[in-house]
């Protein structure tokens, strides 16, 4: 974990949610990659939407790479309306969020290479979100991990992760990924090689500034969500906070 002195608060983007900013030592760091993982329907996409709107409301552009058509402009409008934004301001805010459908790893690689190549034209954008990274590799779940197809998919994912590091560092983005945590009926975590290739890939490069956090339900049918630090180059592990999810996003 880096020392606090090495973190420039000029390079932080706050959530404007006090407890979450405190968990992240002041906010999201430019040049850093964050992964929020959690079980199915725990609220990962709504969390990404909430973060996108916070950036857009602060006049910062957002690139939202949507892997499974999860971005819902109606929900975004509803959140902004609940926050008291006039209709004209809602349109202006949503225009700061560029949503692009990304269907596979090769498309993701092309998009990331474009951002790096055209970085001089991307100065209005400060946040890159890739929602549901698991969409790219869950299809390999039953694939023989010794097969050429598996190896090719893993190699492309490694390339994408290194490109994400370039986007963060060279283009001045904060990068957020979300991932699915798969569990069995007894709630124990599934540990298959094909799934772990997504969750563990950051360990291949120790120099990538990376933080993994977990979003959990506090209890069944509860609107409260617990966010915990799982691993980080910056933050103390096992620290956690509790937030409430509602039609205003995360509070």
């Amino acid at each position: 974990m880096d020392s606090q002195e090495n973190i420039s608060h000029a390079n932080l983007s706050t959530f404007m949610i006090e407890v979450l900013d405190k968990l992240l030592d002041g906010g999201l760091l430019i040049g850093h990659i964050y992964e929020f993982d959690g079980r199915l329907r725990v609220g990962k996409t709504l969390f990404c939407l909430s973060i996108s709107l916070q950036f857009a409301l602060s006049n910062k552009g957002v690139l939202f790479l949507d892997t499974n058509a999860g971005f819902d402009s109606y929900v975004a409008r509803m959140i902004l309306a609940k926050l008291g934004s006039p209709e004209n301001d809602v349109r202006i805010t949503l225009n700061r969020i560029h949503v692009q459908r990304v269907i596979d790893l090769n498309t993701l690689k092309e998009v990331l290479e474009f951002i790096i190549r055209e970085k001089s034209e991307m100065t209005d954008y400060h946040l890159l979100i890739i929602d549901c990274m698991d969409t790219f590799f869950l299809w390999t779940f039953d694939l023989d991990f010794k097969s050429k197809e598996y190896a090719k998919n893993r190699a492309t994912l490694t390339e994408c992760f290194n490109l994400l590091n370039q986007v963060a560092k060279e283009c001045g983005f904060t990068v957020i990924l979300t991932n699915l945590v798969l569990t069995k009926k007894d709630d124990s975590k599934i540990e298959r090689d094909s799934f772990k290739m997504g969750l563990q890939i950051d360990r291949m490069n120790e120099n990538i500034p990376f933080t993994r956090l977990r979003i959990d339900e506090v209890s069944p049918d509860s609107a409260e969500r617990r966010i915990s630090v799982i691993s980080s180059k910056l933050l103390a592990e096992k620290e956690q906070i509790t937030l409430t999810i509602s039609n205003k996003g995360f509070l």
Side-chain angles (χ1 to χ4, degrees), residues 12-202:
L12 289 172
S13 296
T14 66
F15 281 98
M16 313 214 354
I17 302 173
E18 185 177 353
V19 290
L20 187 51
D21 286 333
K22 184 177 179 181
L23 177 71
L24 297 177
D25 282 342
L28 293 167
L29 189 65
I30 295 170
H32 201 78
I33 300 173
Y34 298 85
E35 179 189 85
F36 289 84
D37 66 25
R39 296 175 62 177
L40 190 66
R41 298 189 181 91
V42 77
K44 299 184 296 294
T45 297
L46 182 57
F47 186 73
C48 287
L49 185 55
S50 298
I51 296 170
S52 297
L53 293 174
Q54 289 288 359
F55 267 70
L57 285 167
S58 300
N59 297 319
K60 296 177 180 178
V62 178
L63 296 177
F64 194 111
L65 304 188
D66 194 350
T67 69
N68 63 358
F71 186 93
D72 191 328
S73 59
Y74 174 78
V75 174
R77 287 177 175 275
M78 186 170 64
I79 291 173
L80 290 171
K82 292 289 183 180
L83 293 174
S85 297
E87 179 59 30
N88 189 52
D89 290 351
V90 168
R91 288 195 296 270
I92 293 171
T93 299
L94 291 179
N95 281 337
R96 296 191 185 107
I97 304 174
H98 177 79
V99 182
Q100 180 164 336
R101 188 84 162 90
V102 178
I103 58 173
D104 56 34
L105 282 172
N106 287 323
T107 307
L108 175 62
K109 181 183 173 185
E110 290 173 5
V111 171
L112 297 177
E113 288 174 337
F114 175 83
I115 293 171
I116 294 166
R117 187 170 62 249
E118 303 294 332
K119 63 182 180 181
S120 62
E121 303 296 322
M122 310 294 288
T123 54
D124 289 337
Y125 293 94
H126 300 265
L127 176 65
L128 172 66
I129 289 180
I130 308 176
D131 189 28
C132 299
M133 280 289 288
D134 46 276
T135 302
F136 297 132
F137 52 83
L138 282 180
W139 67 272
T140 66
F141 213 30
D142 296 317
L143 197 64
D144 180 0
F145 68 89
K146 295 181 181 179
S147 70
K148 290 182 179 178
E149 192 172 7
Y150 176 91
K152 182 179 179 181
N153 204 38
R154 186 183 180 89
T156 305
L157 189 61
T158 303
E159 285 185 81
C160 287
F161 206 86
N162 288 328
L163 288 169
L164 280 171
N165 187 37
Q166 282 186 261
V167 167
K169 286 186 172 180
E170 297 177 14
C171 304
F173 276 77
T174 297
V175 177
I176 291 179
L177 321 172
T178 70
N179 249 323
L180 178 67
V181 173
L182 295 181
T183 56
K184 302 174 186 175
K185 288 183 179 179
D186 63 0
D187 212 35
S188 61
K189 190 177 174 184
I190 294 173
E191 295 287 1
R192 289 284 295 277
D193 282 288
S194 55
F195 188 63
K196 286 167 68 177
M197 80 175 185
L199 291 180
Q200 307 297 327
I201 199 163
D202 55 293

